[in-house]
Amino acid sequence: MKTLIQQAIFSFIILWFSPLLIPFILTTEKEIITADIKRWSEVLGLPQQPLWMQLIVLLYKTQEFRNLYYYRLFKGNLSGRISMYLLKIIYPECPSLFLDSSCCIGAGLFIQHGFSTIIMADIGEQCWVNQQVTIGYKDKSGRPKIGNNVRITAGAKVLGNIHVGDNVTIGANAVVVKDVPSDCVVVGIPAAIIRRNGIKVEEKL
């Protein structure tokens, strides 16, 4: 009996969220959305299912993914964008997560928690952002450019016209206002390098 109830609830959820498949069918951004689905499914350990099913589950379970999904649709063609605007009325975004529409964000961005998080930067592929992170402008000189496979952990601030290289981890509550070379771990206020290419170091940025 319990199994039947669970199956009925799951079927209702799939049915309720299925309209969100319409913009995916219409959009020109299918390839990058597919990459996002695969990354999030892998990180969250979702069971192997058809792509459309994984998309619905992610849109139901994680508002943060919904924000990213809407961002991708906004970047696509007009029909996908219009359907997205209509569906946002029924299926709202995570209100405390802001993704600036002018940004260029590579495939596979994972946002673990969207609480009080602002992303206004150009970001590479396979990056990871935690809660209470601010990535954006310090002044009128420009915004950050983030490389591939970068992890920005809880409370970190990455500000200004700087470049963060590939394979970088930015520690919790770090404040980064200078360029960060690739393959480094940086922590502190102001941030300093504590690991480079897997070796412990103590270097200022």
Side-chain angles (χ1 to χ4, degrees):
M1 184 65 177
K2 184 178 179 181
T3 303
L4 289 174
I5 293 172
Q6 289 175 336
Q7 288 176 345
I9 293 171
F10 183 72
S11 297
F12 174 77
I13 290 168
I14 295 301
L15 184 63
W16 175 250
F17 281 88
S18 60
L20 285 168
L21 294 174
I22 296 170
F24 180 72
I25 294 168
L26 297 175
T27 189
T28 52
E29 299 296 293
K30 289 184 182 67
E31 185 176 347
I32 196 165
I33 293 172
T34 297
D36 291 337
I37 294 168
K38 290 179 179 178
R39 175 80 192 284
W40 283 65
S41 296
E42 180 183 350
V43 172
L44 296 175
L46 297 184
Q48 291 294 323
Q49 293 173 320
L51 185 73
W52 67 269
M53 181 75 77
Q54 288 183 324
L55 175 56
I56 290 178
V57 170
L58 287 169
L59 290 168
Y60 157 63
K61 283 191 170 183
T62 58
Q63 273 193 316
E64 293 86 354
F65 182 84
R66 214 179 295 168
N67 287 51
L68 182 61
Y69 182 59
Y70 291 151
Y71 164 84
R72 300 296 191 202
L73 294 171
F74 180 84
K75 292 289 188 178
N77 58 341
L78 184 61
S79 57
R81 191 183 300 183
I82 290 172
S83 61
M84 175 268 292
Y85 280 126
L86 294 173
L87 289 167
K88 281 176 75 171
I89 299 169
I90 305 171
Y91 309 97
E93 301 171 285
C94 175
S96 62
L97 170 61
F98 177 73
L99 297 177
D100 186 70
S101 59
S102 69
C103 297
C104 181
I105 297 176
L109 173 64
F110 179 73
I111 304 166
Q112 189 169 31
H113 301 291
F115 175 72
S116 192
T117 297
I118 299 171
I119 299 176
M120 299 180 68
D122 298 321
I123 298 179
E125 298 182 351
Q126 302 296 105
C127 291
W128 180 309
V129 174
N130 283 86
Q131 70 272 19
Q132 294 182 303
V133 165
T134 299
I135 311 169
Y137 294 87
K138 182 177 69 173
D139 50 39
K140 295 180 180 180
S141 63
R143 63 191 183 193
K145 295 176 178 61
I146 311 295
N148 300 318
N149 195 34
V150 173
R151 184 162 184 161
I152 304 175
T153 60
K157 309 291 184 288
V158 183
L159 305 171
N161 187 17
I162 62 173
H163 180 265
V164 177
D166 299 337
N167 310 310
V168 166
T169 297
I170 297 173
N173 296 314
V175 176
V176 181
V177 293
K178 295 182 179 179
D179 291 349
V180 180
S182 297
D183 304 300
C184 289
V185 177
V186 298
V187 300
I189 306 173
I193 301 171
I194 63 165
R195 190 175 293 271
R196 184 193 286 266
N197 297 315
I199 300 171
K200 288 184 178 180
V201 296
E202 292 183 12
E203 299 178 20
K204 293 182 179 180
L205 291 176

